[in-house]
Every structure is written in C-alpha cells, then in structure tokens.
C-alpha cells in the first residue's frame, strides 16, 4: 500500500504502562510527523522527525526513525487516561510538502 | 498562539447542492493544505497552495475546486455533492521552514443527506 502501515491497529493498556506504535512506509521521505486525534476531533501535531535524525523526544513522547528499514515508532511513557486517542504517522515524501497518513493506531488507556 | 481557523464547523447539505469551506492559516504561514477524512478513515490529501498558487494535487474530485486568496485564506468549493462526500474536511498550514510542520484546524464536518 502507498499509504504505509501502522501497527498495532488497536492497543489497550493500563495507566502507567508504556505504549509503542509502529509505522512503516515504502517511499523516500524528507520527514515523518506524528499526530494525535481524539474521536472526531482535530489532528494535534506531536513531533516531526527529519530523515537525517534517528530519535527525538518531547516530554513523555519518544520517536525513532530507521530509514534503512523504512520504519518509525512512537513511544508514550507512563501513559495516562487522557492519552486515549488515535495516533497517526504521516510521511512527507521527498520533494513534496503534502503528507500521506498511515492507517492509525487506536490507543485506549484504562484508568 | 494563533491556530488555523476553519468555518463553518458543521455543515449539512443535500445531494447535488454546493458547499464552500473556508480556512484561515496561522499568520505568516505561506502554505495551505486541504485533507478529507471519511468515517473511520485516515486523512487523505486533496490539494495545497503555496503563495496563492496550487502547489500539489492529491485525490481531489473534479467536482471540487479550491483557491488561496491574497490574504492567504483558502476556500474549498464543492459542487454536485454526493452522499460519499460526507466527511471531516481539515485545513492545515505550514510556514517557510525547511521541514514543513503542518498544523491542522479543527475541521469542518460536512454531512450530505
């Protein structure tokens, strides 16, 4: 698929646990961005990682990028019930500003 | 900080009608993007504008058109609406930085009956 894949499609964990979501793609990218979306709401920008970067942190979020394997992961540490949402990776292909979104991971954090 | 503004937030139209969605980007952002997200789907890129010129085109139907005005706001015009056009329509904007973080508006929920 040109869209890329995210796994798992759904993830249910307890508060305090870590959550890891993975994203794979097939194209050459300039950057990869992660977004959060609460049900039926807007897309909140979390992190952008450039193609020449391997890891970025923002608070409880850690994103890695392996361009040789064409994959990225988002780790949320010490999860909270408020982290319950869908998480999307979106790649910016080389030479293109538009984003191509993956299929998303639905995260449920149980209090 | 100012965010992307979209209007209206909700819109109900009948089949074959037309609809116009508006987007006001973050100040000093030069690029506007439109995305469509169907129920349970991931967002799909429709079209983008850089400095008021169309810069990229995605899966935008021929029934849809868009433009960016001199004040950088953008409008998405949708004609001959079909039931399948019911979706969330997002506008995003990005600035002149090299890696183009895109910031999304709250979306317009279009329902076609």
């Amino acid at each position: 698929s040109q869209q890329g894949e995210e796994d798992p499609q759904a993830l249910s964990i307890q508060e305090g646990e870590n959550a890891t979501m993975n994203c794979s793609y097939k194209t050459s990218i300039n950057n990869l961005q992660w977004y959060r979306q609460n049900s039926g709401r807007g897309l909140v920008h979390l992190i952008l990682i450039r193609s020449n970067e391997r890891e970025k942190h923002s608070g409880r979020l850690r994103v890695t990028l392996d361009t040789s394997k064409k994959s990225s992961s988002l780790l949320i540490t010490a999860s909270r019930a408020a982290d319950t949402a869908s998480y999307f990776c979106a790649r910016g292909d080389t030479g293109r500003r538009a984003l191509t979104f993956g299929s998303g991971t639905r995260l449920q954090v149980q209090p | 900080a100012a965010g992307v503004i979209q209007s209206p937030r909700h819109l109900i139209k009948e089949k074959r009608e037309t609809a116009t969605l508006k987007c006001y980007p973050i100040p000093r952002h030069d690029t506007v993007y439109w995305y469509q997200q169907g129920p349970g789907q991931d967002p799909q890129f429709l079209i983008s504008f850089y400095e008021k010129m169309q810069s990229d085109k995605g899966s935008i139907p021929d029934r849809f058109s868009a433009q960016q005005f001199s004040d950088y706001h953008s409008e998405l015009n949708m004609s001959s609406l079909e039931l399948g056009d019911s979706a969330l329509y997002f506008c995003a904007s990005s600035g002149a930085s090299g890696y183009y973080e895109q910031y999304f508006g709250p979306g317009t929920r279009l329902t076609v009956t």
Side-chain angles (χ1 to χ4, degrees), chain B residues 4 6 16 23 25 34-35 37 41 46 50 89 92 95 104:
Chain B
V4 176
Q6 291 188 246
R16 292 179 288 277
C23 168
W34 287 96
Y35 293 84
Q37 186 179 30
Q41 304 294 312
L46 294 178
Y50 167 69
Y89 289 84
F104 282 71

Side-chain angles (χ1 to χ4, degrees), chain A residues 45 71 81 87 103 108:
Chain A
H45 187 271
S71 67
Y87 291 82
S103 50
Q108 176 77 40

Side-chain angles (χ1 to χ4, degrees), chain A residues 28-83:
Chain A
S28 172
I29 65 169
N30 171 284
N31 67 86
L32 192 141
Q33 305 185 37
W34 285 88
Y35 289 85
R36 185 185 74 208
Q37 184 178 37
N38 290 84
S39 180
R41 307 287 292 277
L43 291 150
V44 176
H45 187 271
L46 297 177
I47 289 184
L48 178 151
I49 187 165
R50 303 172 182 180
S51 59
N52 61 353
E53 296 177 317
R54 292 297 167 258
E55 187 171 313
K56 281 189 87 167
H57 297 255
S58 176
R60 295 184 295 112
L61 306 180
R62 173 179 168 249
V63 167
T64 62
L65 177 64
D66 187 334
T67 52
S68 66
K69 295 181 179 178
K70 293 188 183 290
S71 67
S72 176
S73 67
L74 169 66
L75 168 67
I76 303 174
T77 60
S79 63
R80 306 166 180 167
D83 295 329

Side-chain angles (χ1 to χ4, degrees), chain A residues 24 27 61 86 88 104:
Chain A
S24 63
T27 57
L61 306 180
S86 290
F88 291 92

Side-chain angles (χ1 to χ4, degrees), chain B residues 6-11 21 87-90 106-110:
Chain B
Q6 291 188 246
S7 67
R9 295 292 306 277
H10 302 272
L11 191 57
L21 310 185
L88 265 172
Y89 289 84
F90 290 107
T108 294
R109 183 174 295 281
L110 173 66

Side-chain angles (χ1 to χ4, degrees), chain B residues 2-70:
Chain B
V4 176
I5 297 171
Q6 291 188 246
S7 67
R9 295 292 306 277
H10 302 272
L11 191 57
I12 300 175
K13 291 286 186 178
E14 295 187 355
K15 281 194 306 183
R16 292 179 288 277
E17 286 191 323
T18 62
T20 297
L21 310 185
K22 296 185 178 182
C23 168
Y24 297 85
I26 293 171
R28 292 179 295 283
H29 277 192
D30 56 14
T31 305
V32 167
Y33 313 79
W34 287 96
Y35 293 84
Q36 176 193 57
Q37 186 179 30
Q41 304 294 312
D42 50 279
Q44 298 284 321
F45 170 68
L46 294 178
I47 195 167
S48 64
F49 292 86
Y50 167 69
E51 287 289 345
K52 292 155 279 184
M53 299 289 290
Q54 181 182 310
S55 57
D56 200 350
K57 196 172 182 180
S59 53
I60 184 168
D62 291 341
R63 299 176 289 107
F64 294 5
S65 65
Q67 57 182 322
Q68 186 179 30
F69 294 86
S70 58

